[in-house]
Amino acid sequence: MIVHQFVSADGFAGDESGEFALFDDTSPNATFQLDQETLERLKGVDTILLGANTYRMFAAFWPTTDSDPEVLAPRINELPKIVVSSTLEEAPWGEFEPALVLADGAADAVRRLKADLAGDIIVWGSLTLTDTLFREGLVDVVRLVIVPRVLGRGRGVFPDGYTDAGLTLVRTGSYDAGLVDIEYRTDRKASI
């Protein structure tokens, strides 16, 4: 399980309400180098896992013609998607295969998926969902893309009270627009 989060330079994955607004002032092609790297990494991914709010944000862009110029669009649109939500009954994805909706039991579903899939599961954003995944010790990799903006306060990547015996640095990279990418492997012996 890969948790992929964009964070501000001061370490926040969202504002105080959990909303993500780090790219408001970024030009359309500002993430080209990072997108190329992400596309390469997505070759090993079998499934995208999303919470309801992130699903709504993604579904409003990725399966539309607005995403046509984006290098990641074909891969994101073709990958199977699962949305964890107690409010959604269905999760359409434009003209592509709709996402499967899981009403509850995210941790158990992820355990089953991890056992059944040869490739990785990736989750972007979805802070409430990732809180559960971290607490249950289901996260194998944490990818943080640091955006050169300062929020001053907000919501961190890890749930309150989460501790981990250590993260092992796997790789770092720097990209256009001042983006920095850091990847850690977890030991999954977390406690909260």
Side-chain angles (χ1 to χ4, degrees):
M1 165 66 61
I2 300 165
V3 170
H4 186 132
Q5 298 289 4
F6 287 86
V7 298
S8 63
D10 54 345
F12 298 110
D15 62 20
E16 289 177 303
S17 66
E19 295 296 316
F20 178 82
L22 293 173
F23 282 115
D24 290 347
D25 302 322
T26 305
S27 64
N29 294 318
T31 61
F32 179 77
Q33 290 174 338
L34 178 64
D35 290 347
Q36 292 294 324
E37 178 68 28
T38 302
L39 183 60
E40 187 62 31
R41 291 178 185 178
L42 284 175
K43 290 179 180 176
V45 170
D46 281 346
T47 302
I48 297 173
L49 183 67
L50 301 167
N53 290 336
T54 304
Y55 156 75
R56 288 181 188 102
M57 183 178 72
F58 271 40
F61 177 73
W62 289 109
T64 70
T65 56
D66 290 342
S67 75
D68 287 350
E70 299 288 337
V71 69
L72 296 175
R75 184 66 178 144
I76 287 175
N77 287 329
E78 74 185 7
L79 279 168
K81 287 163 249 346
I82 298 173
V83 178
V84 178
S85 173
S86 59
T87 58
L88 294 174
E89 292 183 16
E90 57 184 30
W93 197 264
E95 61 187 48
F96 303 94
E97 186 73 26
L100 172 68
V101 177
L102 297 177
D104 54 32
D108 290 336
V110 168
R111 282 186 190 91
R112 286 191 303 276
L113 281 170
K114 287 178 76 164
D116 293 343
L117 297 174
D120 290 317
I121 304 163
I122 190 168
V123 57
W124 276 286
S126 308
L127 294 171
T128 302
L129 173 58
T130 60
D131 282 354
T132 298
L133 300 175
F134 279 117
R135 286 184 182 117
E136 294 290 326
L138 294 170
V139 178
D140 303 299
V141 173
V142 179
R143 287 186 188 143
L144 303 175
V145 177
I146 302 168
V147 179
R149 290 195 53 196
V150 175
L151 292 179
R153 59 180 170 251
R155 171 68 165 80
V157 171
F158 301 96
D160 287 341
Y162 177 84
T163 60
D164 188 295
L167 299 172
T168 302
L169 181 65
V170 175
R171 64 173 306 283
T172 63
S174 61
Y175 305 94
D176 41 12
L179 300 173
V180 176
D181 176 23
I182 303 172
E183 182 173 317
Y184 295 101
R185 187 176 58 250
T186 69
D187 67 7
R188 292 185 286 155
K189 294 177 184 155
S191 64
I192 190 161

